[in-house]
């Protein structure tokens, strides 16, 4: 056994003990709160004006105590209505992204390790005190030798090892839950953990954020209303990101913006336009456009920062958004239902009529409103809730998009309460639909279909020959995966019982015919034949096809009796 294996085992045990102590502490408090003593304590704390925690609040506090990995996971769960109810999601949205900063001297040493040089050799000015601290990294400011003001994001020491350990434990627990509670299969909790692990490891690698910045710069290079900061690829590594520092105003205060000679209404339109371009034209969007990640520059320009969390949309997801927008504008529940079913990759959906009826009721709530008054983010969230209600599986990108739209809409409405957000979307949605049915795209789709059929015709003879050869050689194998073992065993027992019962009935029938053929005068033969037809007539449902003990005994008695007479 290697020393590293022993050390990793020690870390796992230590972390399990730490997690266990946190769960026991909060779990014990939650258990006590539901007892008579807990109710007495709650009433006394209320009289003393002390905080009283609900189950949802205690869950949030537990997650905060568990550390950055669980905080990130809780933030993702807060946007997943298919996993958690609204009351829990509302509380988890309060999870704080700020974390206690680690030592500045250690951070500077880590920065110098990544630079491969001392701070003074690269920066003409450097602020040794962090300006922000998050669960993954810490942020500093400085000025390069070329005179450019920059921000430096440095990753926390050993954070990747801690996250790997937490993900290992989370996945182990998720697999246990999936085995213990088969009803959670619809949620696919193991898949959620794996998806989260992939997302957080992308955030750990600052090269991913740097490439996101470069991609957004290319998207908006000719747009004078949107600004994306430069990234210094020369000094950026997978543990450190150096990018242009933005000096601007926060979009939180419209009065302050007006005092600076800026137009809040135009700023709101510019921010909304930026996100719509990302979503409907590029299918690649900033997934966390809250006020802290936006700066307002002179000329009403909107600058985005913090590109660690982004979303990407598949073509069918973009088509869904376009059809959703047009469907609501036209009050078309059938078109909306079909776009939802296609989004969830369902070819045939048994509850389509029920889904259409639910959408009709939803549309009636908006029927008296002009389109510019539609709450677009709320409409998408209602559709997500409806899809979840009918047990359909949504792509992850849609959850991130719903969050991004709700965030940017909230920022825009703070600047301009009358912004026609839904009306702004319609031209972009129509462009997506027109592109979807453009002659070039239709021709490309037809070409791919014909190419697929041609490939099938070319490969089919060889595939059939291979199957026949393997069949002759006895090499054909079929892998059967059983997810519900107890139910499968029950099915096998029932099948074996029915088969045995059928064999007995056939034996009795043959015996009765033999008796009647040899000795027509014996009444037993008529009785056996009548018994067979009587039992056969009763086998009209699966429940009546089970083999009862008295039928076994009766059948055996008749077989013994027949053997004597034949």
């Amino acid at each position: 056994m290697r020393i590293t294996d022993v050390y990793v085992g020690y870390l796992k045990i230590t972390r399990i003990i730490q997690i266990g102590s946190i769960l026991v502490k909060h779990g014990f408090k939650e258990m006590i709160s539901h007892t008579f003593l807990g109710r007495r304590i709650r009433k006394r704390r209320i009289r003393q004006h002390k905080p009283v925690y609900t189950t949802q609040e205690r869950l949030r506090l537990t997650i905060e105590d568990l550390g950055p990995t669980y905080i990130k996971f809780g933030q993702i769960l807060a946007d997943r209505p298919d996993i958690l109810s609204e009351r829990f999601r509302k509380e988890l949205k309060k999870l704080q992204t700020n974390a206690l900063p680690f030592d500045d001297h250690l951070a500077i040493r880590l920065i110098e390790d990544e630079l491969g040089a001392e701070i003074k050799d690269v920066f003409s000015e450097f602020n040794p005190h962090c300006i922000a601290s998050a669960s993954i990294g810490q942020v500093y400011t400085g000025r390069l030798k070329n005179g450019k003001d920059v921000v430096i994001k440095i990753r926390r020491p050993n954070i990747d090892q801690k996250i790997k350990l937490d993900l290992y434990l989370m996945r182990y627990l998720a697999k246990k839950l999936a085995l213990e509670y088969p009803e959670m299969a619809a949620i696919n909790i193991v898949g959620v953990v794996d998806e989260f692990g992939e997302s957080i490891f992308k955030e750990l690698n600052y090269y991913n954020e740097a490439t996101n910045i470069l991609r957004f710069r290319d998207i908006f290079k000719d747009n004078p209303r949107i600004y994306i900061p430069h990234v210094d690829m020369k000094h950026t590594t997978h543990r450190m990101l150096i990018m242009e520092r933005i000096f601007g105003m926060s979009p939180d205060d419209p009065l302050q913006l007006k005092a600076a000679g800026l137009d809040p209404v135009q700023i709101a339109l510019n921010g909304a336009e930026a996100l719509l371009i990302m979503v409907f034209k590029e299918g690649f969007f900033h997934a966390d456009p809250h006020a802290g990640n936006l700066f307002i520059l002179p000329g009403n320009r909107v600058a985005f920062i913090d590109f660690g969390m982004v979303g990407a949309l598949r073509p069918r997801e973009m088509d869904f958004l376009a059809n959703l927008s047009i469907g609501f504008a036209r009050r078309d529940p059938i078109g909306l239902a079909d776009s939802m079913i296609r989004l969830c990759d369902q070819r045939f959906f048994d509850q389509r009529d029920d889904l259409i009826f639910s959408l009709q009721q939803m549309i009636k709530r908006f029927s008296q409103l002009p389109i510019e008054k539609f709450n677009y983010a709320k409409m998408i969230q209602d559709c997500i809730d409806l899809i979840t209600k009918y047990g359909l599986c949504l792509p992850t990108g849609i959850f991130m998009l719903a969050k991004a739209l709700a965030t940017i809409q909230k920022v825009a409405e703070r600047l301009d309460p009358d912004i026609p957000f839904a009306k702004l979307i319609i031209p972009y949605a129509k462009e997506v639909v027109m592109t979807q049915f453009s002659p070039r795209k239709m021709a490309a789709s037809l070409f791919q279909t014909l190419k697929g059929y041609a490939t099938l015709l070319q490969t089919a003879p060889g595939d059939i020959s291979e199957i026949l050869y393997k069949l002759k050689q006895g090499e054909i194998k079929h892998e059967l995966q059983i997810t519900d073992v107890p139910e499968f065993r029950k099915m096998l027992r029932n099948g074996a019982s029915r088969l045995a019962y059928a064999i007995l009935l056939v034996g009795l029938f043959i015996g009765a015919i033999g008796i009647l053929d040899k000795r027509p005068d014996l009444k037993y033969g008529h009785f056996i034949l009548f018994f067979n037809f009587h039992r056969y007539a009763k086998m009209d449902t699966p429940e009546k096809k089970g083999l009862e003990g008295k039928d076994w005994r009766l059948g055996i008695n008749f077989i013994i009796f027949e053997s004597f007479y034949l």
Side-chain angles (χ1 to χ4, degrees), residues 191-347:
V192 172
V193 173
D194 289 341
E195 186 181 289
F196 165 67
E198 183 180 349
S199 172
I200 198 169
F201 275 117
K202 283 182 180 178
E203 284 193 60
L204 282 174
N205 189 342
Y206 283 136
Y207 274 135
N208 289 323
E209 184 170 351
T211 55
N212 292 340
I213 296 172
L214 294 175
R215 185 170 175 181
F216 280 118
R217 280 192 61 83
D218 184 61
I219 291 171
F220 293 106
K221 62 183 178 183
D222 298 323
N223 192 321
R225 295 177 293 277
I226 309 300
Y227 187 78
I228 307 296
H230 293 272
V231 59
D232 181 10
M233 291 301 297
K234 179 182 177 181
H235 298 108
T236 293
T237 68
H238 70 282
R239 293 189 185 92
M240 181 178 71
L241 173 69
I242 298 180
M243 59 182 286
E244 178 186 359
R245 185 180 182 185
I246 301 296
F247 295 94
M249 301 182 65
S250 171
D252 271 338
D253 191 349
L255 295 178
Q256 190 178 6
L257 292 171
K258 286 181 180 179
L262 299 172
D263 184 359
V265 175
Q266 188 59 49
I267 292 169
L269 290 173
N270 291 346
E273 179 193 23
L275 191 66
L276 295 179
I277 290 172
M278 295 177 195
V279 171
F280 286 96
K281 289 194 172 182
E282 304 297 332
F284 182 72
F285 59 93
H286 193 300
D288 197 20
H290 60 79
N293 287 337
L294 300 172
F295 285 100
I296 310 304
L297 305 180
N300 301 315
R301 301 175 78 189
V302 179
F304 288 80
I305 64 168
D306 195 355
F307 300 88
M309 189 180 295
V310 297
L313 298 175
R314 298 180 180 89
R316 66 184 172 99
E317 295 164 7
M318 295 172 67
D319 293 342
F320 162 73
L321 288 172
N323 292 324
L324 177 74
S325 308
I326 294 172
F328 268 109
R330 294 178 177 176
R331 276 74 165 177
D332 177 16
I334 297 176
L336 286 171
D338 290 339
S339 65
M340 288 182 181
I341 293 169
R342 284 195 299 271
L343 171 69
C344 300
D345 203 20
Q346 293 281 329
R347 187 166 294 181

Side-chain angles (χ1 to χ4, degrees), residues 412-462:
E413 287 177 348
R414 190 179 297 123
L415 295 169
D416 178 17
D418 298 322
I419 183 173
F421 203 84
K423 192 174 182 179
L424 293 173
I425 292 171
I426 298 301
Y428 292 94
K430 286 182 178 178
E431 187 176 342
V432 172
V433 173
M434 293 300 292
T435 304
Q436 182 183 359
F437 294 103
S438 65
R440 178 177 293 181
K441 191 165 184 179
M442 300 266 303
S445 177
L446 179 61
F447 174 75
Q448 291 297 329
T449 303
L450 293 175
K451 184 179 177 182
Y453 280 120
T455 304
L456 178 64
L457 290 173
Q458 288 175 350
T459 58

Side-chain angles (χ1 to χ4, degrees), residues 459-473 475-476:
T459 58
D463 292 340
I464 293 171
S465 299
E466 183 181 358
I467 292 171
L468 291 175
Y469 175 76
K470 288 186 175 181
L471 189 62
K472 287 180 181 179
Q473 299 296 319
E475 295 180 4
I476 294 290

